[in-house]
Amino acid sequence: MRRSVLLGTGSALPAKCVTNAELAERVDTTDEWIVERTGIRQRYIAGEGETTASLATEAARKACEAAGVEPCDIDLIVLATATPDHTFPATATQVQKRLGCRGGIAFDVHAVCTGFLYAMGVADSMLKNGLGSRALVIGAETFSRILDWEDRTTCVLFGDGAGAVVLEAREGEQERGVIASKLHADGEHKELLYVDGGPSSTGTVGKLRMKGREVFRHAVVNLAEVLGEVLEEAGVAVEQIDWVVPHQANARILDATARKLGLPAEKVVVTVDRHANTSAASVPLALDTAIRDGRIKQGDLVMLEAMGGGFTWGASLLKL
Ligand SMILES: CC(C)(COP(=O)(O)OP(=O)(O)OC[C@H]1O[C@@H](n2cnc3c(N)ncnc32)[C@H](O)[C@@H]1OP(=O)(O)O)[C@@H](O)C(=O)NCCC(=O)NCCS
């Protein structure tokens, strides 16, 4: 049996941190409103020269260091993003170039905030099927560049960043690695969360549009459901989970999902206060944060979960 084992994680944030109070000087909002409704206190915003590829490369380098592997040992790069540097080529190929490796597989996956879960699912399948031996799975975004900074209902919610993990295919591994994953999509609700532009429709990049309250309702229901599916497939009880690393969209979604599942709040990694919603980057950013601060350790049973535009949603259970 082949399993994809997590060897190391890394993350990167832009240099500039923007607090709620600073945002309140630009748009009609307050620190109190943002903290009470979302749990967000600050976010990082990419400056000139900082792009999805540059943040992804920094996160990837740190993940390789933590894993004890050289970038040239990587033969598969799967990068999740909805904010690529260019319409093409795939940002993954530019990360490959910046890392100084050539010839392996490199491509982008697009599932918005669920992007990292989709990228993990694709990389895990490819490693299991012998299409690579060591993978970098990256979630990286510069959502600040697709926000309507006049729209207070969305611009206060998002931030930029990147997170990465190194996965290695191990023959005969029975303990560690990705145990079970479930991914879903339902295009029916596009209008609730989308970008109003694109190369083939308007010929422009477009801006993010969202009906937050409706998204919230769907998120709690879909996430609780998919978490149940993964637990069932893995034959694991909710009490056995050491940590849940959720997509960091809103502290209230994290609380509501945990309550629905009967998970104690202490087992949920929360970084939305510091990073805001970084879309595909949020799960690997939170995972790296909790590994580096010593909360998540080797041997822990960890559930990753996310929901985003599309809608797309998914969860993955792994033993570190
Ligand atoms: C966006 C979200 C924080 C809004 O919270 P909410 O409690 O649903 O608030 P509402 O949208 O109903 O708005 C309530 C009021 O606050 C106002 N408001 C919205 N944004 C505001 C802001 N930044 N500052 C101050 N007031 C704001 C609204 O205009 C509205 O005013 P009204 O009652 O006079 O019309 C919340 O719905 C949410 O987090 N949804 C999920 C979003 C998400 O996770 N998306 C990503 C998924 S990947």
Side-chain angles (χ1 to χ4, degrees):
M1 181 201 233
R2 254 182 162 217
R3 277 253 182 109
S4 309
V5 173
L6 191 145
L7 297 186
T9 62
S11 60
L13 291 164
K16 189 177 169 54
C17 178
V18 179
T19 63
N20 291 346
E22 287 170 283
L23 259 193
E25 290 168 13
R26 292 173 62 173
V27 283
D28 180 18
T29 189
T30 60
D31 176 50
E32 293 72 28
W33 191 93
I34 302 172
V35 172
E36 192 195 308
R37 303 286 176 127
T38 71
I40 296 165
R41 294 182 182 275
Q42 59 176 45
R43 74 284 295 140
Y44 291 83
I45 303 291
E48 214 180 306
E50 287 176 319
T51 67
T52 296
S54 74
L55 294 167
T57 306
E58 189 186 333
R61 275 211 186 95
K62 288 181 183 162
C64 287
E65 264 169 43
V69 304
E70 293 297 325
C72 59
D73 297 328
I74 300 291
D75 50 14
L76 170 62
I77 300 176
V78 187
L79 186 147
T81 191
T83 47
D85 281 27
H86 300 279
T87 301
F88 78 78
T91 304
T93 64
Q94 299 313 295
V95 173
Q96 188 206 47
K97 180 189 157 214
R98 288 169 191 232
L99 290 174
C101 32
R102 296 173 83 176
I105 303 168
F107 62 97
D108 290 358
V109 160
H110 189 341
V112 207
C113 298
T114 320
F116 185 75
L117 272 296
Y118 268 69
M120 280 275 290
V122 171
D124 179 40
S125 306
M126 291 178 76
L127 292 179
K128 280 184 180 146
N129 286 299
L131 277 159
S133 52
R134 282 209 188 104
L136 258 172
V137 185
I138 308 169
E141 303 276 16
T142 43
F143 255 49
S144 63
R145 306 230 157 100
I146 54 163
L147 294 177
D148 176 352
W149 287 99
E150 309 279 304
D151 176 10
R152 68 173 183 172
T153 69
T154 53
C155 75
V156 303
L157 304 174
F158 295 90
D160 301 333
V165 306
V166 174
L167 293 181
E168 182 177 72
R170 293 240 176 112
E171 206 68 57
E173 176 68 56
Q174 292 186 357
E175 271 295 305
R176 298 177 63 195
V178 178
I179 297 167
S181 304
K182 284 276 173 198
L183 298 169
H184 293 287
D186 179 0
E188 193 59 39
H189 305 290
K190 178 208 141 199
E191 299 302 320
L192 299 184
L193 178 53
Y194 71 107
V195 167
D196 62 5
S200 182
S201 52
T202 58
T204 61
V205 173
K207 299 284 181 221
L208 181 146
R209 306 291 169 208
M210 179 169 73
K211 295 199 172 76
R213 186 166 283 200
E214 280 100 309
V215 174
F216 192 109
R217 272 194 306 112
H218 284 278
V220 177
V221 173
N222 290 348
L223 287 172
E225 228 168 74
V226 75
L227 288 169
E229 285 172 15
V230 171
L231 288 174
E232 195 181 319
E233 180 166 317
V236 165
V238 73
E239 299 76 33
Q240 291 173 264
I241 298 177
D242 294 302
W243 290 100
V244 177
V245 183
H247 170 49
Q248 308 285 320
N250 182 320
R252 289 187 298 146
I253 296 182
L254 305 190
D255 291 345
T257 313
R259 259 202 316 276
K260 219 165 179 225
L261 271 172
L263 261 165
E266 310 84 71
K267 288 188 171 184
V268 181
V269 175
V270 179
T271 54
V272 68
D273 53 333
R274 282 178 270 172
H275 302 151
N277 181 347
T278 57
S279 183
S282 100
V283 169
L285 247 172
L287 179 65
D288 184 55
T289 303
I291 287 178
R292 283 177 194 261
D293 70 20
R295 272 179 290 173
I296 299 184
K297 299 182 182 63
Q298 193 170 323
D300 282 352
L301 196 56
V302 180
M303 181 75 91
L304 313 179
E305 47 106 319
M307 147 102 188
F311 289 136
T312 52
W313 65 103
S316 183
L317 185 71
L318 60 151
K319 197 169 177 77
L320 255 57

